[in-house]
Amino acid sequence: MLLLNIDYVPGKEVEPLGLVKGTVVQSKNVGKDFMAGMKTLVGGEITGYTEMLTEARQIATKRMVDEATALGADAVINVRFGSSAVMQGAAEVIAYGTAVKLK
C-alpha cells in the first residue's frame, strides 16, 4: 500500500474510491502524566507525550490503510493527520486520505 501526500500519482491514472480514515484516542498512565506535569516546570520536550503521539499516529495510519485495503485500494493519496485533546492527558489522532485504484 502506497501512502502519498500528493493529489495524483505521476504516470498513472487513478480511480478514486473514497475517503478513508483511522482514528485512535491515546492516553498516558497516571505516573507518566505526573512526570510530564513536572517537566513543564523546567521546560523542554515532554518525551512521554511525544512517544504517545508517535504511537497514536502509527495506529491511526494502520487503521486507515486497513480501511483502504478493504476497499481494494492500491494507494492512499493526499494523506493528512489531525489531533485534538480529548481530556487532560489524552489525545485523539486521525489519519485520513483518498483511497485510489491505480490504472
Side-chain angles (χ1 to χ4, degrees), residues 21-42:
K21 79 249 170 263
T23 63
V24 63
V25 175
Q26 193 89 349
S27 69
K28 281 307 216 184
N29 67 42
V30 174
K32 288 192 177 189
D33 195 42
F34 175 76
M35 293 308 291
M38 294 291 102
K39 182 69 172 182
T40 62
L41 296 174
V42 296

Side-chain angles (χ1 to χ4, degrees), residues 25-27 49 84-92:
V25 175
Q26 193 89 349
S27 69
Y49 284 117
S84 63
V86 176
M87 57 184 273
Q88 180 72 27
E92 174 194 31

Side-chain angles (χ1 to χ4, degrees), residues 5-93:
N5 282 322
I6 57 175
D7 292 323
Y8 67 96
V9 179
K12 297 279 187 179
E13 287 186 43
V14 296
E15 173 190 349
L17 301 176
L19 176 72
V20 288
K21 79 249 170 263
T23 63
V24 63
V25 175
Q26 193 89 349
S27 69
K28 281 307 216 184
N29 67 42
V30 174
K32 288 192 177 189
D33 195 42
F34 175 76
M35 293 308 291
M38 294 291 102
K39 182 69 172 182
T40 62
L41 296 174
V42 296
E45 180 181 7
I46 302 172
T47 56
Y49 284 117
T50 300
E51 292 166 1
M52 177 187 79
L53 289 172
T54 298
E55 181 182 351
R57 276 191 301 274
Q58 291 170 344
I59 292 168
T61 300
K62 182 183 181 325
R63 289 178 180 173
M64 177 189 65
V65 168
D66 290 347
E67 188 174 316
T69 300
L71 291 175
D74 295 316
V76 179
I77 62 172
N78 205 24
V79 175
R80 300 287 186 259
F81 292 94
S83 66
S84 63
V86 176
M87 57 184 273
Q88 180 72 27
E92 174 194 31
V93 173

